[in-house]
Amino acid sequence: DAKTTQPPSMDCAEGRAANLPCNHSTISGNEYVYWYRQIHSQGPQYIIHGLKNNETNEMASLIITEDRKSSTLILPHATLRDTAVYYCIVRASPYGGATNKLIFGTGTLLAVQP
Amino acid sequence: DTGVSQDPRHKITKRGQNVTFRCDPISEHNRLYWYRQTLGQGPEFLTYFQNEAQLEKSRLLSDRFSAERPKGSFSTLEIQRTEQGDSAMYLCASSLEVSGELFFGEGSRLTVL
């Protein structure tokens, strides 16, 4: 799987948008961008994923650059409960018999400040 | 609760003892994964099952580690002759074959004294 680069930590004020960047300059054409987060002492939780179009769900928005070499996860109104480690992961399509495993890096620790 | 459950949540053992962790995936999920996580690091892939077949094992899974999923439902991860370096959180996840989303359990934390 392609490697990703994320800042080790970020701060965000409560109620403001949190924008978490991720670089994946070696991403292949069939690789998706996934975001998971891990709140302290819990298992990772799926947030969102995309291939090349921007995606939005009830948790977040994912903006992928046109060249697909980087992406940004946006939490529109961060709350204290969004304090967590956020992982950006790229991997091949899970369909068609692929392993489906995720390879985690060290992620970004987002600290939402009151 | 219909999520992934793991048992026990915490285990303290002495070096050299054997330990076993159990994972109950979401019932209709045919894929099951084990990960290990140490402090300050992201989860590291250990092994993967599709139904009862163990299809992939990481080099991290030494011969002291064995995982099974006998009937394609729950899975066990056994560590024999534990070492202090085995102290970690052991995470289990499951997914549908045609889904990109892995659902993780809360993990089993192992402390080897």
Side-chain angles (χ1 to χ4, degrees):
Chain A
D1 290 348
K3 288 188 175 181
T4 62
T5 304
Q6 299 179 253
S9 64
M10 293 181 63
D11 288 345
C12 177
E14 189 177 17
R16 303 296 295 271
N19 297 282
L20 292 97
C22 179
N23 287 320
H24 32 79
S25 59
T26 60
I27 192 170
S28 300
N30 67 341
E31 288 182 317
Y32 287 68
V33 180
Y34 282 77
W35 284 83
Y36 279 71
R37 74 179 184 183
Q38 187 172 25
I39 295 170
H40 183 61
S41 295
Q42 296 183 19
Q45 175 193 22
Y46 167 82
I47 301 172
I48 198 167
H49 76 280
L51 182 63
K52 52 185 176 182
N53 297 321
N54 297 337
E55 302 288 344
T56 295
N57 62 21
E58 64 278 5
M59 289 183 69
S61 294
L62 174 59
I63 309 298
I64 302 174
T65 58
E66 193 168 341
D67 63 8
R68 303 209 323 122
K69 291 185 177 182
S70 65
S71 61
T72 301
L73 178 74
I74 300 172
L75 308 179
H77 305 287
T79 71
L80 298 178
R81 286 177 292 183
D82 292 322
T83 292
V85 177
Y86 287 77
Y87 297 100
C88 170
I89 302 163
V90 296
R91 70 160 188 208
S93 169
Y95 307 102
T99 302
N100 225 28
K101 70 184 181 189
L102 300 171
I103 303 298
F104 290 82
T106 52
T108 296
L109 174 59
L110 174 69
V112 180
Q113 308 291 344
Chain B
D1 191 317
T2 58
V4 176
S5 63
Q6 293 188 243
D7 182 71
R9 292 292 312 279
H10 303 275
K11 178 72 175 178
I12 300 173
T13 191
K14 293 182 179 179
R15 188 176 54 190
Q17 298 296 303
N18 299 343
V19 297
T20 299
F21 301 114
R22 176 181 169 121
C23 172
D24 287 273
I26 294 172
S27 60
E28 65 268 25
H29 287 186
N30 62 343
R31 294 187 173 193
L32 186 146
Y33 307 79
W34 284 100
Y35 283 79
R36 181 178 70 185
Q37 186 172 26
T38 53
L39 194 63
Q41 301 298 313
E44 298 171 294
F45 171 78
L46 292 179
T47 190
Y48 149 69
F49 291 85
Q50 182 163 318
N51 299 312
E52 66 276 8
Q54 188 174 19
L55 297 185
E56 187 171 347
K57 293 195 290 186
S58 163
R59 284 173 291 179
L60 294 174
L61 211 67
S62 76
D63 55 8
R64 295 185 298 106
F65 288 69
S66 62
E68 294 183 342
R69 195 183 182 196
K71 298 183 180 179
S73 57
F74 74 92
S75 176
T76 58
L77 176 69
E78 181 184 17
I79 309 173
Q80 296 182 328
R81 305 180 303 281
T82 52
E83 302 173 356
Q84 288 185 326
D86 297 331
S87 294
M89 175 76 82
Y90 290 86
L91 292 160
C92 176
S94 69
S95 75
L96 287 169
E97 184 169 352
V98 294
S99 167
E101 181 179 352
L102 269 62
F103 293 81
F104 283 83
E106 299 286 303
S108 293
R109 180 169 294 284
L110 173 65
T111 301
V112 182
L113 302 177

